[in-house]
Amino acid sequence: MLLQLIRPMKQNKHTRLWNPGPTEVSERILISQSKPMIGHRESTFTDLYKGIIDKLNRFFEITNYHTYVHTASGSIWMDISARNLVRDKALSTTCGSFSERMYQTIGSCGKTVDKMAVEWGKATKPEQILDALSKDKYDAFTVVHNETSTGVRNPTVEIGKQVKKEYPDIMYIIDAVSSLGGDFILPEKNQADLIFASTQKAFALPPGLSMAFISPEAFEKAKTLPGRGQYTDLVALLEYYGKKNQTPSTPAISLLYSLDIQLDAMLAEGHNNIAKRHEDMAKYTRSWVEKHGMKMFAEKGYESITVSIVENTLGKSVADLNKELRKRKLTISNGYSQLKEKTFRIGHMGSWTVSELKELLWHIEEIWQL
Ligand SMILES: Cc1ncc(COP(=O)(O)O)c(C=O)c1O
């Protein structure tokens, strides 16, 4: 059984994912999930879960925030943010599909929210947020760090510096789903009150888990808000962990096994080295794009380092390219939503290296005869 699982991978029979999530998952990780089940109220589980939180805290240099790993993909934290951190009115900055989803989620949780839209492809700047916040009374604002639909990497550290200085009590919520763990981004350095990520992105793990880092101020604020739900009650989640080092409901234990061993690998490689590896892949892709007369979709200076979104200036069919790539057991992503065929996306996140990226780009060159 195990051999059947290993063999196709060794022969590279499966299609290797250069998508911006789910990303390629190693054989070692897949096998790590097949350990026997344990009860989630047993000390073996407590050791596993607390160990994971401790490793995350070490990896992300957490000194004073709360850390939580939830059994749900990253979008759950949009609901949690809306229900626990927005009392009166939120400002949602949007610059693509995923930041738009955050805006929609806050509204659908019954909270009042204004949108501050930035043109797709452009970055969200601190002065734009300061200006928007000065026009009304808000108690939360949201920013996506790495907009996976446009490839824009927003300057969240600078936003934190400038906006939290002016408005220290306004909750700063960051969606870092497709960058945390693969970028230089550190939760406390961003001054975020809640920042979240999914495991199927830069963590190179199967989908199904997400994590968030929460400021003490956010935890205190959540305690004062009604209607936090059950699975989305931040106070219940953090208090349960605080008392028992466990989760209130049954978690995806098999996925936690894989997160645990992946964190060992990430700690061994080091936060900065991982981010540098991603930056190297992004730089290589950008120079390849330029060399072949194409263009990055993101504003210069604000390009993502985990996913490169390339304008389809050559006017070739991205769908056909992917068909050919799949014959070679490789895949990239078409443009997202309205950017389909207008762009293509190379997700160089997770465990990929520059030399593997060169191989992928060589195949694209060959197929497109560049
Ligand atoms: C920036 C961003 N935010 C949110 C999401 C949604 O995350 P999930 O699919 O883990 O719920 C994604 C998924 O691609 C994303 O890229």
Side-chain angles (χ1 to χ4, degrees):
M1 174 64 202
L2 207 57
L3 270 179
Q4 274 168 6
L5 196 76
I6 298 168
R7 208 173 282 131
M9 308 270 308
K10 283 212 165 137
Q11 292 171 1
N12 274 336
K13 282 278 161 56
H14 76 288
T15 300
R16 284 162 290 157
L17 306 180
W18 287 89
N19 300 330
T23 50
E24 188 65 14
V25 176
S26 73
E27 191 179 329
R28 202 171 68 91
I29 291 293
L30 291 175
I31 291 168
S32 73
Q33 296 173 85
S34 64
K35 283 201 295 190
M37 204 37 54
I38 52 173
H40 67 297
R41 297 291 173 241
E42 289 170 15
S43 62
T44 38
F45 176 78
T46 310
D47 292 346
L48 171 71
Y49 192 72
K50 187 177 180 310
I52 287 172
I53 300 293
D54 290 347
K55 287 174 194 177
L56 281 169
N57 287 347
R58 258 195 290 145
F59 185 77
F60 288 110
E61 300 174 21
I62 300 296
T63 58
N64 132 62
Y65 276 28
H66 300 275
T67 303
Y68 194 82
V69 176
H70 217 342
T71 293
S73 76
S75 301
I76 190 90
W77 292 99
M78 297 189 183
D79 288 78
I80 292 177
S81 300
R83 292 177 183 189
N84 291 267
L85 301 182
V86 181
R87 183 194 313 278
D88 301 315
K89 197 178 201 185
L91 178 79
S92 226
T93 68
T94 66
C95 58
S97 289
F98 293 102
S99 39
E100 188 68 36
R101 183 185 293 184
M102 175 68 105
Y103 164 72
Q104 300 285 350
T105 304
I106 297 174
S108 67
C109 286
K111 302 291 173 116
T112 310
V113 55
D114 283 346
K115 188 198 290 200
M116 190 206 92
V118 170
E119 189 190 334
W120 285 35
K122 296 276 185 293
T124 308
K125 314 276 167 48
E127 51 280 10
Q128 293 170 309
I129 300 178
L130 282 169
D131 182 52
L133 288 176
S134 72
K135 293 192 173 128
D136 209 335
K137 202 171 173 318
Y138 296 101
D139 66 322
F141 73 104
T142 70
V143 180
V144 63
H145 175 246
N146 195 67
E147 179 47 81
T148 322
S149 61
T150 63
V152 164
R153 181 178 183 232
N154 281 321
T156 49
V157 173
E158 200 47 42
I159 291 170
K161 247 188 229 156
Q162 295 192 33
V163 179
K164 286 300 271 187
K165 189 167 158 221
E166 196 80 17
Y167 299 100
D169 297 331
I170 300 188
M171 293 286 118
Y172 178 21
I173 299 155
I174 304 180
D175 169 350
V177 162
S178 59
S179 50
L180 207 68
D183 199 327
F184 295 94
I185 182 168
L186 289 170
E188 291 181 1
K189 284 237 168 75
N190 279 260
Q191 302 185 46
D193 288 291
L194 192 149
I195 178 166
F196 59 96
S198 307
T199 51
Q200 79 277 15
K201 306 282 186 186
F203 289 82
L205 291 170
L209 294 176
S210 55
M211 67 206 60
F213 302 89
I214 302 121
S215 73
E217 292 78 13
F219 185 30
E220 289 310 309
K221 180 172 182 180
K223 290 178 188 166
T224 68
L225 259 70
R228 301 190 297 265
Q230 161 70 27
Y231 207 65
T232 52
D233 183 349
L234 188 61
V235 180
L237 301 180
L238 298 186
E239 283 185 344
Y240 207 94
Y241 179 72
K243 280 190 200 123
K244 304 202 168 181
N245 293 150
Q246 294 176 353
T247 57
S249 48
T250 320
I253 294 168
S254 311
L255 292 173
L256 289 168
Y257 290 147
S258 68
L259 175 58
D260 188 41
I261 71 152
Q262 189 67 319
L263 285 170
D264 288 338
M266 289 169 76
L267 281 162
E269 187 177 355
H271 184 268
N272 232 42
N273 292 337
I274 293 176
K276 178 82 176 54
R277 177 165 55 76
H278 283 77
E279 187 178 52
D280 288 346
M281 288 192 282
K283 282 185 176 162
Y284 188 87
T285 309
R286 280 178 227 153
S287 61
W288 177 85
V289 162
E290 201 174 318
K291 178 174 153 205
H292 294 290
M294 292 179 275
K295 209 170 154 278
M296 299 298 290
F297 186 74
E299 179 178 351
K300 205 167 174 50
Y302 296 94
E303 301 97 335
S304 165
I305 66 167
T306 55
V307 55
S308 288
I309 302 197
V310 185
E311 268 191 53
N312 186 10
T313 44
L314 303 178
K316 304 210 184 232
S317 162
V318 177
D320 287 349
L321 168 66
N322 236 352
K323 264 189 222 149
E324 288 304 315
L325 282 172
R326 284 209 188 97
K327 288 181 195 160
R328 300 166 186 225
K329 299 289 175 199
L330 293 164
T331 187
I332 59 165
S333 287
N334 208 320
Y336 196 88
S337 171
Q338 66 206 57
L339 295 176
K340 195 167 181 177
E341 290 298 332
K342 296 196 176 95
T343 60
F344 60 91
R345 300 181 295 156
I346 300 174
H348 36 68
M349 62 176 82
S351 52
W352 291 124
T353 60
V354 171
S355 64
E356 290 163 323
L357 175 73
K358 284 181 182 170
E359 193 188 317
L360 169 79
L361 298 178
W362 178 86
H363 281 285
I364 298 179
E365 281 178 31
E366 215 199 40
I367 293 165
W368 272 357
Q369 302 192 336
L370 298 178

